Structures are given as C-alpha cells and as structure tokens.
Amino acid sequence: MPTAHCNHMNRRGFFRIAGVATAVGLLSTSSVGHLAFAAALSKAQRDKLTPDDIIAMMRKGNERFRRGEESPHNYLEQQEVSAKGQYPAAVILSCIDSRAPAETIMDLGIGDCFNARVAGNIANEDILGSMEFACKLAGAKVVLVMGHTACGAIKGAIDNAELGNLTGLLAKIKPAVQSTTYAGERSAKNYSFVDAVARKNVELTVADIRKNSPVLAELETKGAIKITGAMYSLETGALEFFG
Ligand SMILES: [Zn+2]
C-alpha cells in the first residue's frame, strides 16, 4: 500500500526528530519505481550530524520506545537502501542479554548503528578494533557503552562464577566489583548492588576505551566523536545517558 501518506510515515525516526525530514536529500527512488523517503542514512545526512545530535536522537528514540510510539520501520526498504553502502551514526557496545536489544530500545533501524554485543559489555582488543573501524574508517561519531540492570554477567562476576571461557570474561568485570563503593550488602542477590556495579562497569569501560585506543581518544579530543555510557533499565525501559 505505497501511498504518499505511507511513504511519509516510513521516514526514519532519526530524521523526524532531526527536523530535516522534508529535505530533498531524503528522497530516493525505491526499487518499485516510486519516490520514497530514504530508509537508511546517506553519507551526507550522517556527516551533517554532530555527536551531540546523535545522542539526542538516541535519547528521543528511547522515549518513543517507552511511549510505544516507535517509527513504523520499513525494514525491507532499509535493507535495500543500506545494501548499497552503510553510514551508521554510532557504534554501541552492549550486553548479549536478550532483554536489552540496543537498536529496539532506541528505535533504530537497519544501517543506523554498529552494535558489538558481549556479556557484561566489556571492551577487549577485538572490540576496540571494531570501534576504531566504526569511527575512523566508517565515520561513526558516537561510541556508546550500554549497561543494563539485573545483568547476569555482573552477578556472575560478583559471585566469582567459574565456567569454561566465561571465567576469563568475568575476570574483566571484577575490577568494577572491587571499585564500586557501596554501603549495603555486596552480593549478587542484592539488585541495588548489582546495578551499582553495572554502572561502574560502564564507567570503567568508557575509561578503558579512551586509555587503550589512542585512535578513538584522538578522534574525541578533536571533537569528531564522543565516547559515553548509558544504563538501561529492564524494569522501566528507560535508557539513562551519562553525558
Ligand atoms: Zn547483561
């Protein structure tokens, strides 16, 4: 039902928020031969955005998600448009938790962001390499480390859980357990403590990225990118940005 109204509604949420949805640059010819709004970021559109613009859009996207007013994504169109090239605005580092899918909870579509997922959203050399590719070579302008409440990896690190390769992964989270200042019960059964450690883990991961990736640190110093963190609440659906 490709009416003009539907095409209008298929605009990506990013641009509805950016207020540039009527720009001629957003028009493209779809594969079925009618004019449609582009379904994925073009290079020009992405390059116009500042890191703060992109963070504001992510914030707005989470607000739409929480209101149940997500953009009516046309995933097939996004897939078709982005197949010719990708110009994502951000690279996200988030946990594998099935309840914390970053794109969904920020109302993002295909081609909008890179997303590296690993239990406990920790950074290692491979993750840093992926982020350097995303920002230095592919032009992403935001590095967002997203932790979440009631994280099983954080609980495992607190409990000193041991299992195959998981043991080594949890060891990377333990500095956050140790450096979390907390007056109450420091156990995995205390969700308030678990969430405090998850928050500290995001802060330490952001610091690690700056320290261990001179490539990203230089881009941030120049103002080309912003590296920041956020905590997602499984209970409320709210994403709290640190900066
Ligand atoms: Zn998790």
Side-chain angles (χ1 to χ4, degrees):
M1 201 177 66
T3 65
H5 175 68
C6 282
N7 289 336
H8 178 78
M9 292 302 290
N10 283 340
R11 283 175 302 170
R12 300 176 57 263
F14 253 34
F15 294 106
R16 186 170 60 187
I17 297 308
V20 294
T22 54
V24 174
L26 284 180
L27 297 172
S28 68
T29 306
S30 80
S31 62
V32 291
H34 62 268
L35 272 183
F37 285 95
L41 281 168
S42 73
K43 186 174 187 305
Q45 289 156 5
R46 192 270 312 275
D47 289 352
K48 240 188 286 181
L49 300 169
T50 68
D52 284 336
D53 288 339
I54 293 161
I55 290 169
M57 289 169 182
M58 290 171 146
R59 202 187 293 270
K60 293 282 185 190
N62 178 246
E63 287 168 8
R64 289 195 301 278
F65 167 74
R66 290 180 69 195
R67 292 195 305 265
E69 295 173 2
E70 300 92 342
S71 309
H73 292 283
N74 184 334
Y75 287 120
L76 279 180
E77 191 167 352
Q78 292 173 2
Q79 170 259 315
E80 279 177 23
V81 172
S82 61
K84 300 178 184 77
Q86 63 169 342
Y87 307 100
V91 52
I92 298 165
L93 170 57
S94 61
C95 183
I96 60 168
D97 196 296
S98 66
R99 303 162 296 176
E103 290 95 333
T104 306
I105 64 105
M106 283 186 266
D107 194 22
L108 301 172
I110 294 171
D112 283 346
C113 67
F114 294 100
N115 189 2
R117 295 185 72 164
V118 60
N121 41 271
I122 50 91
N124 61 17
E125 283 183 357
D126 301 322
I127 296 287
L128 291 176
S130 301
M131 289 175 168
E132 289 168 2
F133 165 76
C135 295
K136 184 80 179 183
L137 301 182
K141 295 181 178 178
V142 170
V143 176
L144 180 71
V145 180
M146 186 183 106
H148 68 96
T149 60
C151 179
I154 301 288
K155 290 180 199 168
I158 293 170
D159 275 348
N160 296 308
E162 293 190 359
L163 170 71
N165 291 289
L166 181 59
T167 306
L169 194 161
L170 297 183
K172 297 186 170 77
I173 300 175
K174 287 186 182 179
V177 180
Q178 286 141 17
S179 57
T180 297
T181 307
Y182 190 83
E185 184 191 332
R186 298 174 67 92
S187 87
K189 292 192 183 74
N190 180 359
Y191 274 38
S192 165
F193 178 60
V194 172
D195 295 349
V197 174
R199 178 177 290 268
K200 175 61 73 178
N201 184 52
V202 170
E203 290 170 7
L204 293 183
T205 302
V206 167
D208 279 350
I209 292 167
R210 292 194 178 111
K211 181 173 151 229
N212 297 323
S213 172
V215 170
L216 295 172
E218 188 194 352
L219 286 172
E220 189 175 44
T221 303
K222 285 196 306 192
I225 68 166
K226 193 161 185 174
I227 306 170
T228 190
M231 272 292 287
Y232 176 64
S233 167
L234 296 186
E235 295 79 10
T236 67
L239 185 61
E240 179 203 343
F241 286 81
F242 293 0

